């Protein structure tokens, strides 16, 4: 499954913005500068995005079994 299909599963305005910029190829440093956040903060947001996507994959997988 492609990441683009999981965008709707990501909660939070910051998370969605970071994800969209990452999909556009922007670096964590670039994103941090444009959001006035540190690269470390962007990494934490990215990690949260990944956790949300993984959790949604579990839900999607269990829904397919029904």
């Amino acid at each position: 499954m492609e990441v683009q299909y999981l965008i709707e599963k990501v909660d939070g305005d910051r998370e969605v913005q970071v994800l969209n910029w990452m999909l556009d190829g922007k670096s964590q440093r670039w994103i941090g500068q444009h959001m006035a956040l540190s690269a470390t903060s962007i990494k934490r947001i990215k990690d949260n995005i990944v956790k949300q996507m993984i959790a949604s994959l579990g839900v999607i997988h269990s829904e397919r079994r029904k």
Side-chain angles (χ1 to χ4, degrees):
M1 180 172 282
E2 293 185 31
V3 170
Q4 289 85 344
Y5 296 117
L6 295 173
I7 291 174
E8 65 188 38
K9 303 294 184 185
V10 175
D11 290 328
D13 292 338
R14 278 187 174 178
E15 285 80 358
V16 171
Q17 186 62 62
V18 168
L19 177 57
N20 284 322
W21 274 332
M22 289 184 141
L23 291 172
D24 286 342
K26 305 298 184 196
S27 69
Q28 290 180 25
R29 180 177 291 171
W30 185 95
I31 296 167
Q33 289 172 343
H34 283 77
M35 295 182 77
L37 297 170
S38 69
T40 304
S41 293
I42 299 302
K43 182 183 181 318
R44 275 190 233 116
I45 292 169
K46 183 218 29 136
D47 291 344
N48 190 36
I49 291 167
V50 171
K51 288 176 187 175
Q52 289 180 31
M53 287 183 168
I54 290 170
S56 72
L57 285 175
V59 170
I60 292 168
H61 183 67
S62 65
E63 287 175 358
R64 286 184 179 170
R65 287 183 173 180
K66 292 180 182 179

